[in-house]
């Protein structure tokens, strides 16, 4: 009976996941309600087994009926069910929920159905909404905690057979493991590891509790409790530190005494204690022929293996992932096409392939746009004077004023204050290419102290004496180490629990928003110079791949509406971040177990946060919603797609990423509808955004940073409400049309009589 | 009408300014045009002082960008008249204010002025000018800090000598009057009626009793001449079993002789009662706040933070005692409580308090014990609220961009240290607890605070907002405010500092309440019919003296002020206008009065209306119409669809002024859809729309106003366009079916 429900169920899962993330409640309600849920869910899925298109109407219809019923006539709600929970559920039932998190997204992809992803995605939460509703009330407690996908009881999956994405393989399963959820308490269940992710499922609750985490997000795995002999239910296990602001703790039951261990040998020995077993009870473990024991040990080993493939000489999962997408994301960005879109070549700017073999600068892309006045030889000379050969190259050109944003690395000035005539002339060429202004700004992203200090290391900044007509400004953005520390503090404040009494001052003490403000106002300053002063700007920091990428990409986002579309944003990331060599592999530490590597830093996360801040201030100006940003961030870590792997274009070519992996943009462009912002008005495309950058107008992106915390009440995004409005309107117009036709029919029916009476 | 003041150039004005007597030592302006510039005056409004060639500086703009004009001080407003165009921000704020009928874009009502600061010669230092300040020979500039957290700077650099001083003196004198009736309270024409009951008549309270169907309470008219209590209206709702004589006797023992009054209830019998503290005995008048500190500590230690909920009620035998009419038992248990409070009160007062509580108890049909919330102990004091507010004001009224950015760096921690949000959280928590007690335990709730008209008003209003869906509509919210704040006598004059006296009693309890409502609106998008912008407008409206609603300490004070004005000017009728008449006001009247102001076409009013109506609420209404069959029943007056449509029509219809139909009876109270709040501090948001309403971020750069710059648009604009389309579709259908019906 339920076999036909498969595709719909996935969408339901998504819907629930999102609903759950928004509301919290005491868990007391779920046991008492479970019966009704079950009956409802079976009837709901029974009803939805016909076809998804007919479901759409029916589901929505029944939803609007039920919602008005419970919002006006449901009587006083019982103590355990806060009314806002009900409300929240109504509000977004109809909305085509977007997968806002990796887990729900992946859960959805991995539904085990062979159906093409397109249809799976387009059938978002339009299935039987009654089903949602009841299901939600039961399950939101669980789903709220970690965005787990929750499957209802109607489908019986054997615990050791989780649905897998194409190319994924089950590597090991351990039973009787406890997941220590910081919000709803321990859950006992089965932990499976594949070559892509870990899956924990607990049948204790109905519907079962499920947690899926791609191993790519794992930053480090630590053994807990093995060293001391503390007693307690869950004192042994592992703690997994994730890159997406959460930690997961798995434990197993410790025996009351070591002697009783053998009595329960089938049940309670965990691989997570394998170190202890080896050290203290050498030989004892060997006597345990238990399958469980073996499987647990294997699971941990596999976990360590596949979480850090780079450290174990294994390929990233992206190379094994073989999902089919209708769109090919690798073709979204063509450097020449993008430069042509900007109007290049012009009489003052040319496109050069001087770096085709990545010889002049190995971290730069193959194709550059440079001032036409500079010869290839000039470029080589300039490269010698710029750190790592990263010479000033065009990022963006204003379509009217021809003012440009160019990016580069610091000049190699050094303590002695070296100069390069070629570099000075080159900057002059950039200025001359813009007839509107007789000045050029050099924006050094660093605090001036750092810029000066860099001179000791051979770097530095342009002196205004040497560069005629140039004004150097420092934007006071701190380096990657400061940012990493700030995020660490932020996680402490946000996860797992929030100290309410000092929330604001704790938040301020992380300086996270302060850094966001700096980056934003720096980008604003660049955009202002280009837009309002028609002056060209050269942007650099030390190496020109972290802060510079943030600044150029953000100012381009403010200046050019194209980058605020879904494909445009992909182009922006491909161009400013990926092709210009932001060291994703280093900064994220893909598949690398050196979690204390000083090169790691949340530079890209910070950029996406800035984008979110602008998006929040201009809700009509972006074609995408924050869900897309979250999806991008999730896949920044997941290693499911090849997009963010490796450090530079050159490395990606070497590893044949484009041919051997799938692009993240394939997923996004194939499921565009899921990420589209209904509030987007395309006439904002020709406008420039100047966001407000004072602290009071910045917010913590709680939907990202606090998403695991059910007590953090997230504001319902206005676009969800807008989608509901469109739906209501559609319904209403349908009814009105029906009535109109009826009226008209009655009139034509009546009119002959009237006419005949007159005649 | 205040024209009497014009007719008899009252001594009040001339005594201190010497306007007539002092020879004008500055030669008259050579520019003839200057003399023609006059502010628009309302009937009865008179000009007191003027200063030519004044520069007005937009807040946080560099001083260079001031606009030049003439500054007037009248007995109603500070008016700046200029021919230069108005800033977009000012225009927008003006269109969204409830006093745009009588104040121009550059005008500021005198009672809105919070502080007047004087700039030193070099503009580096500022000094606060009090109402009795000694004027220096020359003022370089004035800074007005308004109660709406707005800063306006005026420079007198080019002003003829003497005019600056006169304007400043007039301003200081009139902005801080000694008595409330010195304010400009009536502008000569009768306000249109919004149909909001004023809760000063018995019939309003009777309707409220009927609507809530709360049994065992009655309306007493014993306060007819304010003989019983000056801060209560002439009618009050008291336990049915309480005789008027007993009421009078009991009242004597409460502070301000204010007996406990019913303000809301449920059909199941749970009543919401507001009560003052019993007055300390005469021998113990030096009961100071310090004495309460150990009490608080003690209570905290013993876990009574929730208030005195019932602990002083001996569980056993209470029912018996009540049935047998033995209040003595009660008084025993109560006096235990008062020992805890360490507050000496005389025996008789104690007995009376117990007696009243006993009566509340007996009013409950199931004889459930009432819960008592001693708000003085569980909520911040008025003083603390004021201190918080002063910190907030400091944070939101920077003098210059440098200070703005300096404060902005530490905005969050400064906000936290103001404790404003934690006060909000406390209020919401207590309101939530009280609502839960009423809803789930069906017990009556007694809200007790010192005078029974401050924090109890906050909590009582919030409880009703949470429980009673009617209070979330515009009409209901007006009723709520009228009832809890205006009729039951929140001392607005004192708390908002409308007069120069009693400044130490200032405390923005009203703002605290509005901010609480704002948090409700944030957490429940669709629950309220009005937007947070309306709440901002209400806060600003509380400082305009022509809105009588928020000017007085009590109904009694309003009557006496009205009497004073009437006596001074017997020929003219005095009209004190409730703020609610903004909605009902016919624009044409004002335009005629103001000689047809050129600006402000009708669409600005419509946009203000849209800004005040919650589009998501209307969406919810349409959603209920989108159910199958609902549209079909829309013309059936018995169906709910019909009423929903009528409601939508009132909100959207352009012909209607009011967003509700005052002739429709209010439906009886349904206790469904109560709201639950998340009170944790991390889920409360600073109310930027209010605190930063006037505080636009200073431009760090020379951002131009280029065409290409995307202006902030209301996030709801898209919603509105669809809502309008839906409305028009429905209207077309109805007219079509009507025509059809007529044809048949």
């Amino acid at each position: 009976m339920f076999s036909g429900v498969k595709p719909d169920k996935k969408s339901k899962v998504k819907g629930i996941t999102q609903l759950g993330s928004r509301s919290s409640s005491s868990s007391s309600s779920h046991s008492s309600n479970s019966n009704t849920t079950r009956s409802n869910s079976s009837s709901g899925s029974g009803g939805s087994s016909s076809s998804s298109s007919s479901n759409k109407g029916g589901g929505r219809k029944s939803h609007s009926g039920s919602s008005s019923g419970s919002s006006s006539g449901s009587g006083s709600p019982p103590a355990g069910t806060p009314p806002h929970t009900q409300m929240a559920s109504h509000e977004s039932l109809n909305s085509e929920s977007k997968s806002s998190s990796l887990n729900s997204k992946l859960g959805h992809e991995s539904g085990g159905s062979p159906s093409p992803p397109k249809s799976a995605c387009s059938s978002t939460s339009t299935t039987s909404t009654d089903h949602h509703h009841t299901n939600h009330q039961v399950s939101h407690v669980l789903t709220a905690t970690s965005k787990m996908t929750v499957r209802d009881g109607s489908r019986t999956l054997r615990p050791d057979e989780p649905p897998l994405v194409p190319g994924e393989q089950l590597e090991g399963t351990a039973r009787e493991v406890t997941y220590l959820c910081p919000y709803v308490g321990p859950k006992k269940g089965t932990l499976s590891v594949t070559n892509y992710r870990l899956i924990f499922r607990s049948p204790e609750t109905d519907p079962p509790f499920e947690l899926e985490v791609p191993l790519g997000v794992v930053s480090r795995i630590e053994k807990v409790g093995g060293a001391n002999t503390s007693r307690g239910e869950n004192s042994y296990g592992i703690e997994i530190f994730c890159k997406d602001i959460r930690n997961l703790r798995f434990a197993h039951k410790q025996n009351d005494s070591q002697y009783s261990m053998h009595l329960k040998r089938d049940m309670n020995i965990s691989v997570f204690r394998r170190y202890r077993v080896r050290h203290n009870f050498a030989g004892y473990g060997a006597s345990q022929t238990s399958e469980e024991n073996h499987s647990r040990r294997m699971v941990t080993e596999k976990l360590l293996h596949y979480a850090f493939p780079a450290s174990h000489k294994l390929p990233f999962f992206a190379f094994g992932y073989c999902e089919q997408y209708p769109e090919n994301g690798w073709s979204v960005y063509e450097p020449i096409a993008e430069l042509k879109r900007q109007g290049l070549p012009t009489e003052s700017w040319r496109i050069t392939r001087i770096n085709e073999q990545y010889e002049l600068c190995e971290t730069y892309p193959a194709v550059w746009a440079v001032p036409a006045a500079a010869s290839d030889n000039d470029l080589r000379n300039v490269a010698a004077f710029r750190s790592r050969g990263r010479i000033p190259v065009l990022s963006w050109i204003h379509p009217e004023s021809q003012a440009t944003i160019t990016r580069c690395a610091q000049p190699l000035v050094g303590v002695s204050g070296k100069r390069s005539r070629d570099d000075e002339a080159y900057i002059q060429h950039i200025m001359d290419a813009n007839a509107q202004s007789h000045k050029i700004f050099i924006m050094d992203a660093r605090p001036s102290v750092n810029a000066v200090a860099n001179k000791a290391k051979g770097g530095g900044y342009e002196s205004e004496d040497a560069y005629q007509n140039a004004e150097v400004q420092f934007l006071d953005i701190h380096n990657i180490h400061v940012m990493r520390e700030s995020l660490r503090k932020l996680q402490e404040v946000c996860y797992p629990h929030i100290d309410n009494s000092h929330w604001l001052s704790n938040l301020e003490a992380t300086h996270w928003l302060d850094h966001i403000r700096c980056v934003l106002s720096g980008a604003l300053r660049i955009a202002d110079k280009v837009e309002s002063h028609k002056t060209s700007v050269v942007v650099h920091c030390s190496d020109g791949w972290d802060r510079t990428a943030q600044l150029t990409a953000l100012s381009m986002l403010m200046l050019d509406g194209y980058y605020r579309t879904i494909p445009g944003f992909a182009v922006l990331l491909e161009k400013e971040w990926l092709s210009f060599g932001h060291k994703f592999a280093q900064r994220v530490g893909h598949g690398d177990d050196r979690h204390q590597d000083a090169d790691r830093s949340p530079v890209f996360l910070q950029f996406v946060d800035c984008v979110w801040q602008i998006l929040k201030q201009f809700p009509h100006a972006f074609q995408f919603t924050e869900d897309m940003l979250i999806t991008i961030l999730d896949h920044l870590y997941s290693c499911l797609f090849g997009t963010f792997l490796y450090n530079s274009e050159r490395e990606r070519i070497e590893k044949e990423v484009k041919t051997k992996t799938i692009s993240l943009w394939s997923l996004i462009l194939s499921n565009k509808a899921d990420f589209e912002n209904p509030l987007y008005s395309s006439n904002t495309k020709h406008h420039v955004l100047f966001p407000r950058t004072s602290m009071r107008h910045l917010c913590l992106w709680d939907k990202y940073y606090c998403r695991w915390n059910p007590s953090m009440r997230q504001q319902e995004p206005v676009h969800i409400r807008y989608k509901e409005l469109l739906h209501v309107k559609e319904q209403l117009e349908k009814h009105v049309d029906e009535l109109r036709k009826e009226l008209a029919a009655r009139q034509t029916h009546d009119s002959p009589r009237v006419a005949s009476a007159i005649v | 009408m205040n024209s009497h003041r014009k007719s008899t150039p009252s001594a009040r004005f001339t005594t201190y300014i010497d306007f007539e007597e002092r020879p004008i030592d500055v030669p008259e302006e050579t520019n003839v045009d200057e003399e023609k510039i006059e502010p628009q005056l309302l009937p009865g409004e008179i000009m007191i002082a003027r200063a030519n060639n004044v520069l007005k500086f937009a807040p946080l703009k560099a001083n260079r960008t001031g606009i030049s004009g003439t500054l007037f001080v009248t007995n109603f407003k500070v008016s700046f008249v200029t021919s230069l165009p108005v800033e977009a921000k000012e225009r927008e704020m003006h269109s969204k204010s409830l006093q745009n009928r009588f104040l121009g874009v550059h005008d500021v009502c005198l009672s809105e002025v919070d502080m007047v600061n004087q700039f030193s010669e070099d503009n580096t230092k500022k000094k606060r000018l009090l109402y009795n300040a000694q004027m220096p020979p020359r003022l370089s500039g004035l800074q007005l800090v308004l109660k709406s957290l707005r800063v306006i700077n005026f420079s007198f650099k080019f002003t003829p000598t003497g005019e600056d001083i006169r304007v400043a003196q007039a301003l200081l004198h009139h902005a801080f009057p000694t008595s409330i009736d010195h304010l400009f309270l009536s502008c000569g024409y009768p306000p249109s009626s919004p149909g909001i009951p004023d809760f000063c008549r018995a019939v309003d309270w009777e309707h409220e009793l009927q609507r809530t169907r709360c049994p065992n309470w009655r309306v007493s008219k014993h306060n007819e001449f304010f003989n019983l209590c000056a801060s209560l209206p002439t009618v009050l709702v008291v336990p049915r079993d309480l005789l008027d004589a007993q009421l009078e006797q009991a009242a004597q023992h409460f502070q301000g002789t204010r007996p406990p009054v019913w303000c809301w209830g449920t059909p199941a019998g749970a009543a919401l009662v507001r009560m003052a503290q019993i007055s300390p005995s005469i021998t113990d008048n030096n009961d100071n706040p310090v004495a309460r500190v150990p009490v608080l500590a003690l209570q905290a230690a013993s876990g009574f933070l929730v208030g005195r909920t019932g602990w002083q009620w001996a569980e056993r035998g209470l029912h018996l005692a009540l049935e047998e009419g033995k209040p003595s038992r009660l008084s025993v248990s109560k006096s235990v409580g008062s020992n805890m409070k360490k507050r000496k009160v005389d025996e008789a007062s104690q007995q009376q308090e117990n007696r009243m509580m006993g009566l509340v108890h007996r009013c409950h049909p199931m004889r459930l014990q009432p819960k008592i919330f001693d708000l003085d102990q569980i909520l911040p004091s008025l003083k603390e609220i004021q201190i918080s507010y002063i910190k907030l004001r400091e944070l939101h009224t920077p003098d210059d961009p440098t200070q703005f950015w300096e404060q902005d760096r530490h905005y969050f921690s400064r906000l936290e240290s103001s404790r404003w949000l934690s006060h909000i959280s406390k209020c919401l928590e207590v309101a939530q607890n009280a609502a839960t007690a009423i809803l789930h335990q069906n017990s009556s709730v007694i809200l007790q605070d010192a005078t029974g008209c401050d924090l109890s008003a906050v909590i009582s209003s919030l409880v009703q907002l949470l429980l009673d869906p009617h209070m979330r509509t515009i009409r209901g919210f007006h009723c709520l405010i009228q009832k809890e704040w205006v009729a039951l006598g929140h001392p607005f004059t004192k708390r908002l500092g409308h007069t120069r006296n009693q400044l130490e009693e200032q405390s923005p309890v009203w703002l605290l309440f509005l901010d609480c409502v704002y948090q409700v609106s944030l957490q429940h998008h669709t629950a309220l019919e009005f937007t947070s912008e309306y709440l901002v407008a209400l806060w600003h409206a509380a400082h305009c003296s022509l809105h009588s609603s928020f000017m007085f300490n009590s109904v009694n004070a309003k009557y006496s002020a009205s009497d004073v004005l009437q006596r001074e000017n017997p020929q003219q009728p005095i009209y004190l206008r409730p703020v609610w008449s903004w909605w009902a006001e016919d624009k044409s009247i004002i335009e005629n009065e103001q000689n047809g102001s050129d600006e402000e076409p009708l669409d600005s009013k419509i946009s203000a209306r849209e800004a005040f109506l919650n589009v998501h609420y209307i969406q919810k209404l349409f959603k209920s119409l989108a159910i199958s069959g609902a549209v079909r029943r829309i013309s059936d007056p018995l169906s709910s669809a019909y009423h929903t449509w009528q409601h939508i029509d009132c909100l959207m219809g352009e012909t209607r002024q009011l967003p509700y139909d005052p002739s429709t009876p209010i439906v009886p109270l349904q206790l469904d859809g109560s709201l639950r709040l998340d009170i944790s501090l991390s889920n409360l948001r600073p109310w930027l729309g209010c605190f930063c309403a006037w505080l636009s971020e200073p431009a760090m750069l020379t951002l131009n106003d280029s065409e290409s710059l995307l202006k902030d648009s209301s996030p709801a604009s898209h919603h509105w366009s669809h809502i309008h389309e839906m409305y028009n579709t429905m209207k077309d259908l109805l007219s079509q079916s009507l025509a059809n019906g007529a044809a048949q």
Side-chain angles (χ1 to χ4, degrees), chain A residues 72 83 500 504-505 508 531 533 687-688 690 693-696 713 721-722 724 729 735 740 742, chain B residues 408 413 416 523 526 616 619 623 626 632 672 674 682-683 688 697 702-703 708-710 722 725 736:
Chain A
S72 62
N500 264 307
L504 287 176
S505 49
E508 187 178 286
E531 176 66 26
H533 297 242
H687 285 86
V688 176
F690 281 163
T693 59
S694 54
M695 285 293 272
R696 63 196 75 191
R713 189 196 169 86
R721 186 161 296 288
Y722 186 71
E724 191 203 64
K729 192 178 164 198
H735 293 309
R740 279 226 175 98
E742 247 174 66
Chain B
D408 192 67
S413 55
E416 185 177 282
Q523 296 192 11
T526 59
H616 305 301
Q619 180 177 337
K623 195 167 149 189
R632 198 176 295 274
D672 54 357
S674 70
S682 53
N683 286 309
L688 295 184
E697 190 173 293
T702 51
L703 299 177
S708 57
L709 207 59
L710 185 66
H722 287 288
E725 276 177 38
Q736 191 188 344

Side-chain angles (χ1 to χ4, degrees), chain A residues 292-303:
Chain A
E292 294 299 314
N293 188 14
H294 176 70
S295 70
R296 283 191 191 124
R297 180 178 306 161
M298 201 179 69
V299 160
T300 317
E301 272 166 15
K302 295 288 182 190
L303 196 61

